[in-house]
Amino acid sequence: MAYVKIPDAYYKACKAKIERLMRFNNPFKYTEDISLAGYVDVVERLNMATIERNEAAANLDAKTITYNQLVAEEASFESSLRNMIGNDKKLGRNSDEYVAAGGVRQSDITAQAQQTREANKRDKDKDK
């Protein structure tokens, strides 16, 4: 999963606006809260927040990749473990250990298959 990187186009547009306003050699201070210097400060904080967010997204991407790899490794290991338990001569596919590892008892599979065959046969006999 790739997190979308925030482009710096907005920051560049704001910087261009500031450069155009600076050409007037007027500080544009209207009140304590509204001034060109205040705007410059907000734009620079916005840039820093964008950089930090993009770094966090890259870090999260790396962590997500690691997590997904470990999930796949766990699934493979679990499958191998279940297979080894099921093929073990002492335990086999009818053991509690096999069921605990996520398997289905062979006797249950056989019984379900028998029920399915009988149901199919009944359906076939009904159609005749």
Side-chain angles (χ1 to χ4, degrees):
M1 162 184 260
Y3 290 88
V4 178
K5 181 180 176 185
I6 298 174
D8 61 350
Y10 186 71
Y11 171 72
K12 288 179 180 178
C14 291
K15 283 298 278 187
K17 195 181 306 177
I18 290 169
E19 287 175 16
R20 287 192 304 270
L21 289 171
M22 291 287 200
R23 290 183 195 152
F24 292 106
N25 294 325
N26 189 344
F28 291 102
K29 184 172 184 177
Y30 296 105
T31 66
E32 286 298 317
D33 298 334
I34 301 172
S35 66
L36 183 57
Y39 181 66
V40 169
D41 182 53
V42 169
V43 169
E44 290 306 316
R45 287 188 291 141
L46 173 69
N47 185 44
M48 292 306 299
T50 301
I51 291 169
E52 289 174 4
R53 190 266 183 208
N54 286 340
E55 288 172 354
N59 188 24
L60 192 54
D61 272 342
K63 290 186 181 297
T64 301
I65 289 168
T66 301
Y67 171 79
N68 289 339
Q69 289 171 341
L70 288 172
V71 167
E73 185 179 336
E74 183 276 333
S76 174
F77 198 92
E78 180 211 10
S79 176
S80 297
L81 179 65
R82 186 179 332 113
N83 191 31
M84 295 303 264
I85 291 171
N87 292 332
D88 188 349
K89 291 182 182 179
K90 294 178 196 170
L91 300 174
R93 294 187 187 269
N94 283 323
S95 67
D96 292 336
E97 291 85 350
Y98 183 69
V99 173
V104 179
R105 293 186 191 277
Q106 187 63 41
S107 56
D108 293 344
I109 293 171
T110 305
Q112 181 63 35
Q114 180 62 31
Q115 288 176 352
T116 303
R117 282 193 298 274
E118 290 171 1
N120 289 342
K121 186 177 180 183
R122 278 194 305 265
D123 291 343
K124 201 177 206 183
D125 291 341
K126 279 183 182 179
D127 292 340
K128 287 184 180 181

